[in-house]
Amino acid sequence: MKIPGEVVNRLTLYHFILEDLNEGDVYISSKKIAKFLEIDDSQVRKDLKYINTVGKRKLGYNAKELKKAIEEKLGFKKTRDVFIVGAGNLGSALAKYSTFKDYGMNIIAMFDTDPKKIGTIINGKEVFDITKVGHMVQKLNVDIAILTVPKEYAKGAANYLAGSGIKYIWNFTPCILDVPDNIKVWNENLIGSFLQFTNRDEVEDDKNDDGN
Amino acid sequence: MKIPGEVVNRLTLYHFILEDLNEGDVYISSKKIAKFLEIDDSQVRKDLKYINTVGKRKLGYNAKELKKAIEEKLGFKKTRDVFIVGAGNLGSALAKYSTFKDYGMNIIAMFDTDPKKIGTIINGKEVFDITKVGHMVQKLNVDIAILTVPKEYAKGAANYLAGSGIKYIWNFTPCILDVPDNIKVWNENLIGSFLQFTNRDEVEDDKNDDGN
């Protein structure tokens, strides 16, 4: 059964809650999970059906089992190698963000155009010349790139990636990339998030809902 | 009319496209916008109804007018002052991210617990002791905080924010915060994004859809 994107999003948040539970909390109820996220508990139960988990009457879900079931279903243990393109502030911050690894994301190298950055090591990841990205994609069999270059370099970097063999671009730039159809782009729209949550009075809240 | 969150998200992406147009492109069609984002053009037309914009037959939308209409509807020009709590890698990267300002987000100060960071200036923003956050919220009338502390400090920082007068927390930590109901938390779930887009074959694509 395909899992809707919003459900994947919420399952990840449930996992954060489960990670944070005290050792003594053997069971957790859908009500408790729902309260943390200020959503309806019927939503939690509906989401958890996607991972074939059923709670026990009056007790709730076994926290350890639930955590494991989410991990298996969402593939946390299936490590994915990733490149970061753009070794500036944001790229470096993401390269240093240790939580990614816990969820299966393994950053193995970075790319930039700046001769001062090329050859440096950021949190154990070497920065390579962007012109080498195609070669490295083939050599290391990587299919995911995180794009964190400044806005004005987004198109140039996307051109390098277009012919590189990369299949997924996680785009943190405020630019819409024009890449071949076989490359999937995920726009991490921070501006959109900001506008959504700060204009809440005017904006319908569907982040934690099931749709419109 | 309330605008659904997903529509706000897409309108922001349309704005990125309009920003990037050549001077000579007076009109843009819903088809062209849709092609950039690999979505259906009927979706674009539906979204643009929220900002009361109607295209001209055969020509499409006047690009400048459309851009301005999105800016007005989403409040880009209504500047919001923001604090960053956590002057580490991610907090510093966001403090240096110039695009935020173009969309109405004005970062005015940062907070941390590390004596080595307190008193330093990051991209013109002073880092203050976290214990001063309540005082500064009142003094500067700020109601939005971006939380970028390491995972293990998330709860402590949230406690400081709980009593500070902050109304919105943009949470970049992989923790679910337990704050009073009057504080709205927006979880910027990077892990969830990563899992959604890298598991695309198994996950239903609703990021660019209208819901489920």
Side-chain angles (χ1 to χ4, degrees), chain B residues 12-175:
Chain B
T12 318
L13 300 177
Y14 303 163
H15 192 269
F16 293 166
I17 294 169
L18 295 165
E19 271 266 298
D20 237 19
L21 282 186
N22 298 319
E23 270 295 309
D25 295 334
V26 179
Y27 290 95
I28 187 166
S29 65
S30 54
K31 274 218 168 76
K32 191 172 174 184
I33 295 176
K35 198 177 172 300
F36 269 113
L37 294 167
E38 291 176 40
I39 57 175
D40 204 75
D41 53 314
S42 64
Q43 178 70 69
V44 175
R45 289 191 296 276
K46 209 173 142 193
D47 290 346
L48 293 180
K49 279 187 188 148
Y50 281 97
I51 54 166
N52 302 319
T53 306
V54 185
K56 277 185 190 160
R57 189 181 287 267
K58 292 197 179 167
L59 282 171
Y61 301 88
N62 179 299
K64 270 191 192 155
E65 284 175 15
L66 182 54
K67 192 161 160 274
K68 208 175 157 199
I70 294 175
E71 287 166 5
E72 278 171 6
K73 190 71 179 184
L74 298 189
F76 292 0
K77 307 292 168 191
K78 192 170 60 182
T79 301
R80 309 285 300 252
D81 289 337
V82 173
F83 285 156
I84 292 181
V85 176
N89 300 308
L90 185 58
S92 301
L94 296 180
K96 289 170 185 168
Y97 191 55
S98 59
T99 307
F100 280 152
K101 196 141 191 183
D102 302 337
Y103 291 87
M105 182 170 142
N106 187 32
I107 297 160
I108 55 170
M110 302 177 75
F111 295 86
D112 208 289
T113 53
D114 182 353
K116 276 182 239 153
K117 286 178 184 153
I118 294 164
T120 61
I121 312 280
I122 297 170
N123 194 26
K125 299 135 196 13
E126 186 168 349
V127 181
F128 295 92
D129 191 314
I130 183 69
T131 60
K132 301 218 170 98
V133 71
H135 172 70
M136 296 280 282
V137 162
Q138 304 306 324
K139 191 174 140 189
L140 299 171
N141 201 21
V142 169
D143 60 6
I144 304 168
I146 304 180
L147 188 63
T148 52
V149 297
K151 194 176 166 180
E152 56 271 34
Y153 298 112
K155 286 192 173 167
N159 284 342
Y160 274 111
L161 290 172
S164 69
I166 279 287
K167 289 192 193 119
Y168 302 93
I169 300 177
W170 192 2
N171 178 27
F172 279 78
T173 77
C175 290

Side-chain angles (χ1 to χ4, degrees), chain A residues 21-90:
Chain A
L21 282 186
N22 297 319
E23 271 294 308
D25 294 334
V26 178
Y27 289 95
I28 187 166
S29 65
S30 55
K31 276 218 166 81
K32 191 171 173 184
I33 294 175
K35 199 178 171 298
F36 269 112
L37 293 166
E38 291 176 40
I39 59 176
D40 204 77
D41 53 314
S42 64
Q43 178 70 72
V44 175
R45 289 189 297 274
K46 208 172 142 195
D47 291 344
L48 293 181
K49 278 186 189 150
Y50 282 97
I51 52 166
N52 303 318
T53 307
V54 185
K56 278 187 188 157
R57 190 181 287 268
K58 291 198 181 167
L59 282 171
Y61 300 88
N62 179 298
K64 270 190 192 156
E65 284 175 17
L66 182 55
K67 192 161 160 273
K68 209 176 157 200
I70 295 175
E71 287 166 6
E72 278 170 7
K73 190 73 181 181
L74 298 189
F76 292 0
K77 307 293 169 191
K78 191 170 59 181
T79 301
R80 308 286 301 252
D81 289 337
V82 174
F83 285 157
I84 292 181
V85 177
N89 299 309
L90 185 57

Side-chain angles (χ1 to χ4, degrees), chain A residues 3 5 9 19-20 74 76 80 89 151 155 186 188-189 193 195-199 203-204 210 212, chain B residues 3 5 9 19-20 74 76 80 151 155 186 188-189 193 195-198 203-204 207 210 212:
Chain A
I3 309 181
N9 192 52
E19 271 266 299
D20 236 19
L74 298 189
F76 292 0
R80 308 286 301 252
N89 299 309
K151 193 176 166 179
K155 285 190 174 169
W186 180 276
E188 191 64 44
N189 184 359
S193 289
L195 292 169
Q196 276 184 63
F197 93 91
T198 56
N199 288 305
V203 171
E204 211 178 275
D210 212 13
N212 304 319
Chain B
I3 309 181
N9 192 52
E19 271 266 298
D20 237 19
L74 298 189
F76 292 0
R80 309 285 300 252
K151 194 176 166 180
K155 286 192 173 167
W186 179 278
E188 191 65 42
N189 184 0
S193 289
L195 292 170
Q196 274 184 67
F197 92 93
T198 55
V203 172
E204 210 177 275
K207 174 96 176 183
D210 213 11
N212 306 318

Side-chain angles (χ1 to χ4, degrees), chain A residues 89-104:
Chain A
N89 299 309
L90 185 57
S92 302
L94 296 180
K96 290 172 185 166
Y97 190 55
S98 59
T99 306
F100 281 152
K101 197 142 191 184
D102 302 337
Y103 291 87

